[in-house]
Amino acid sequence: MIPNFLTPLLQQQQYNPQQFFLIAGPCVVENEDLVMEVADKVYTICKKLGIPYIFKASYRKANRTSANSFTGLGDEVGLSLIQKVGKTFALPTTSDIHAHDEAAEAAKYIDVLQIPAFLCRQTDLLQAAAATQKIINVKKGQFLSGPAMQFAVDKIKKAGNEQIMLTERGTTFGYQDLVVDYRNITWMKQLNLPVIMDCTHSLQQPNQTSGVTGGNPALIETIAKAAIATGADGLFIETHPNPAKALSDGANMLPLHLLENLLEKLATLRETMVKIG
């Protein structure tokens, strides 16, 4: 299901309304060349396959394990580059915000405000995001069940915003791993909201002694296929031309050259799921 509130942002794209929608891009804005390269490639693939596309990149990485990790080029630079991508390719854009005082400023540049999983219970953040009247995508905390996301939804709705999407991104499994409980897709869809599967962050291996989060990108296809089969409306995939050199989350990103083949498989699977109901 592509939500009604999302369709105006997608009106310049020719897409199959029965397909899943895709949120994709590099983890963080590293430089202009990177965001333009990724957006161009993903846009071209999605246009070919009829998949509606929202460009994603973080303008700031506030949640890093190590104090030495890259956090961004500066808020205004990062947001401006995301906005430039949107204007260049006529794409809706999204990025994550981390504090209530970021919401109004970020809303000047992007179309969808993303609430990080660790912050999905932060009342003032949810209320500030709601006040922008932008679409809000809330990632389910690694420590929460799908039904518990009702409380985050209630906070946003009570603040006057009904444009809400929810994202499953895995559940903490021990200290250094995550596991995906696909019941959460069904449970969150019962809230009558579009549900997205984060196919890359759900494969993170956090809390490594190196101070750099690990990952299992070889399983991205498995996670994505299962999400389509269990009724996810959208997929979230971070991708990079050279994940080994990425400045953030390289260990769980999909190499950009593998994206087309994966999306072809997923588009075919979605068509099959639509046929069988």
Side-chain angles (χ1 to χ4, degrees):
M1 177 187 72
I2 298 173
N4 292 334
F5 55 73
L6 197 56
T7 53
L9 297 179
L10 301 170
Q11 61 185 347
Q12 296 190 57
Q13 299 182 47
Q14 293 181 338
Y15 63 87
N16 178 354
Q18 293 188 315
Q19 270 297 347
F20 60 89
F21 61 92
L22 178 69
I23 301 174
C27 180
V28 66
V29 177
E30 298 179 14
N31 55 62
E32 182 172 345
D33 288 345
L34 173 72
V35 293
M36 288 297 177
E37 177 185 356
V38 174
D40 187 17
K41 179 67 173 179
V42 181
Y43 169 75
T44 300
I45 296 169
C46 288
K47 183 178 180 181
K48 172 184 173 183
L49 298 175
I51 297 171
Y53 173 41
I54 300 170
F55 175 80
K56 182 271 168 186
S58 296
Y59 65 89
R60 185 205 303 178
K61 296 300 294 183
N63 177 25
R64 306 306 310 274
T65 302
S66 170
N68 298 318
S69 296
F70 177 75
T71 58
L73 301 173
D75 291 359
E76 185 174 358
V77 173
L79 284 166
S80 294
L81 287 174
I82 295 171
Q83 185 181 57
K84 185 173 182 178
V85 167
K87 290 181 177 179
T88 301
F89 297 99
L91 291 172
T93 59
T94 186
S95 192
D96 35 351
I97 60 173
H98 313 89
H100 70 277
D101 55 0
E102 290 181 44
E105 186 63 23
K108 298 176 184 177
Y109 296 87
I110 59 179
D111 302 293
V112 180
L113 299 180
Q114 180 175 286
I115 307 299
F118 280 123
L119 301 175
C120 68
R121 294 179 60 183
Q122 295 297 108
T123 302
D124 62 346
L125 177 59
L126 295 172
Q127 291 172 336
T132 68
Q133 292 302 309
K134 293 285 186 173
I135 297 169
I136 303 171
N137 178 25
V138 188
K139 287 194 171 184
K140 181 187 74 63
Q142 300 93 319
F143 43 86
L144 291 177
S145 69
M149 290 300 290
Q150 175 70 64
F151 301 107
V153 171
D154 288 344
K155 291 175 183 179
I156 296 170
K157 288 185 175 182
K158 287 180 180 178
N161 193 328
E162 299 278 336
Q163 302 180 107
I164 307 165
M165 304 188 293
L166 298 177
T167 294
E168 165 63 29
R169 56 96 72 227
T171 301
T172 298
F173 187 68
Y175 288 114
Q176 294 180 318
D177 208 355
L178 298 170
V179 66
V180 178
D181 181 352
Y182 284 94
R183 294 177 299 175
N184 284 323
I185 292 178
T186 298
W187 285 332
M188 290 194 291
K189 283 176 68 71
Q190 290 173 356
L191 301 177
N192 295 314
L193 298 172
V195 174
I196 301 156
M197 181 71 227
D198 184 337
C199 304
T200 44
H201 289 97
S202 60
L203 291 167
Q204 284 183 330
Q205 294 175 319
N207 302 318
Q208 301 297 310
T209 55
S210 64
V212 178
T213 298
N216 255 316
L219 294 174
I220 290 172
E221 182 172 326
T222 300
I223 295 292
K225 285 179 175 177
I228 294 298
T230 49
D233 302 293
L235 298 178
F236 179 110
I237 299 175
E238 287 189 339
T239 183
H240 192 286
N242 189 349
K245 293 187 176 181
L247 299 182
S248 178
D249 278 1
N252 53 266
M253 277 198 281
L254 181 74
L256 185 59
H257 72 276
L258 299 179
L259 182 65
E260 183 168 7
N261 180 256
L262 174 60
L263 291 181
E264 286 175 347
K265 294 177 182 178
L266 296 174
T268 299
L269 177 59
R270 174 67 170 207
E271 291 168 0
T272 301
M273 295 304 300
V274 170
K275 288 179 181 178
I276 66 176

